[in-house]
């Protein structure tokens, strides 16, 4: 049981800091993953970015993902081929379903990113953070999309998840760090004492705060380096 998302992030950051990861970039899945990822980024002294994903639901069953649109430069569409085949969807039907979800992805991009571009993860360690994973569907999509961006390594970092989901994620990512794998996994909020709904403004505020902290830390490190060079 975690006190809140921030508490989970602090504990997750401690575990990740033991791994000595190469050039880590922390990627939060909004909204719930953002407070967790902020604390992870602090612990690793790493830059924080968002990985914005919009699920494309199956006809008549919007909770079942036939695909997902992943924001980026360029953006990507990741298909859930098993579900596509189950529903016998052709290319035209898929295009319509995907087009219906693009406005919401673009709204989220505008709300969260303003004019900032995604951080490149090429040759670096991409750490995908969320506040938990029940089925792991969104996380799997995130992993598959990031593999196309040539990271050195992909690490999944989550506070809580069912053991069977963790096993599935381990087949997709290079590493999975999960703090709690309860035998009886209930709704995600039951594993937190405080689990408030987050707004777009909460995401923007947290990301701005994390960016300022990272810049301040970078300036401190840079100043120390200059001082050290002058002392020799």
């Amino acid at each position: 049981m975690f006190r809140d998302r921030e508490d989970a992030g602090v504990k997750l950051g401690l575990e990740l800091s033991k791994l000595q990861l190469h050039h880590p970039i922390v990627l939060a899945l909004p909204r719930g993953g953002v407070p967790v990822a902020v604390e992870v980024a602090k612990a690793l002294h790493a830059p924080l970015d968002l990985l914005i994903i919009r699920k494309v639901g199956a006809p008549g069953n919007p909770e079942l993902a036939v695909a997902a649109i992943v924001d980026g430069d360029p953006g990507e569409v990741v298909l859930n081929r098993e579900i596509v085949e189950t529903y016998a969807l052709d290319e035209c039907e898929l295009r319509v379903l995907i087009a219906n979800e693009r406005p919401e992805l673009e709204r989220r991009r505008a709300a969260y990113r303003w004019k900032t571009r995604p951080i490149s993860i090429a040759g670096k360690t991409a750490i995908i953070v969320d506040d938990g994973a029940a089925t792991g569907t969104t996380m799997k999509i995130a992993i598959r999309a990031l593999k196309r961006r040539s990271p050195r390594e992909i690490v999944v970092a989550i506070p809580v998840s069912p053991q069977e989901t963790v096993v599935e994620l381990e087949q997709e990512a290079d590493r999975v760090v999960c703090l709690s794998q309860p035998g009886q996994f209930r709704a995600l909020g039951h594993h937190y004492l405080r689990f408030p709904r987050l707004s777009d403004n909460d995401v923007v505020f947290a990301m701005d705060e994390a960016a300022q902290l990272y810049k301040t830390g970078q300036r401190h490190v840079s100043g120390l380096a200059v001082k050290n060079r002058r002392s020799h």
Side-chain angles (χ1 to χ4, degrees):
M1 179 72 72
F2 301 99
R3 186 171 63 250
D4 51 27
R5 291 182 177 94
E6 289 78 8
D7 174 52
V10 169
K11 292 173 179 174
L12 204 51
L14 286 173
E15 286 302 309
L16 288 163
S17 63
K18 299 174 185 177
L19 301 180
Q20 298 182 335
L21 300 169
H22 175 82
H23 289 302
I25 304 290
V26 180
L27 302 171
L29 292 175
R31 299 183 180 99
V34 172
V36 184
V38 167
E39 299 302 326
V40 169
K42 287 180 189 176
L44 299 178
H45 307 289
L48 173 63
D49 201 359
L50 292 173
L51 187 58
I52 305 172
I53 296 175
R54 180 63 179 173
K55 181 169 63 177
V56 178
N61 190 354
E63 293 304 311
L64 184 63
V66 297
I69 314 169
V70 184
D71 187 38
D73 187 17
E76 299 174 80
V77 174
V78 179
L79 297 180
N80 189 341
R81 296 193 179 279
E82 182 180 348
I83 304 302
V84 170
E85 290 173 4
T86 298
Y87 279 79
L89 297 172
D90 60 29
E91 287 188 17
C92 182
E93 290 170 315
L94 275 173
R95 278 199 299 270
V96 170
L97 291 171
I98 292 165
N100 288 341
E101 299 301 334
R102 283 198 184 278
E104 176 59 18
L105 181 82
E106 291 168 3
R107 186 200 69 78
R108 293 184 185 187
R109 181 197 300 131
Y112 300 157
R113 283 198 179 283
W114 295 77
K115 295 182 180 180
T116 61
R117 296 166 64 93
I119 298 174
S120 172
I121 62 168
K124 299 174 183 177
T125 300
I127 306 172
I128 315 172
V129 179
D130 206 351
D131 52 9
T135 64
T137 300
T138 301
M139 190 64 77
K140 290 174 191 173
I141 289 167
I143 295 165
R144 291 169 190 174
L146 291 184
K147 283 180 179 178
R148 303 176 187 177
R149 302 181 189 179
S150 305
R152 173 173 176 151
E153 184 178 21
I154 296 176
V155 179
V156 169
I158 43 178
V160 59
S161 180
Q163 186 175 9
E164 57 269 24
T165 298
V166 172
V167 170
E168 291 177 8
L169 292 175
E170 286 174 338
Q171 296 172 2
E172 301 270 353
D174 295 295
R175 304 195 215 193
V176 176
V177 176
C178 180
L179 301 179
S180 176
Q181 301 177 43
Q184 291 187 325
F185 186 91
R186 297 178 291 172
L188 190 55
H190 286 117
H191 301 280
Y192 290 83
L193 293 176
R194 291 184 62 253
F195 197 71
R197 289 178 62 88
L198 300 176
S199 67
D200 288 345
N201 286 338
D202 292 328
V203 171
V204 172
F205 179 81
M207 293 298 294
D208 285 347
E209 184 180 37
Q212 289 302 318
L213 285 171
Y214 180 69
K215 288 178 183 177
T216 301
Q218 289 291 89
R219 283 198 295 271
H220 286 168
V221 170
S222 178
L224 180 60
V226 171
K227 183 178 178 181
N228 287 342
R229 284 200 299 271
R230 287 174 178 170
S231 65
H232 289 295

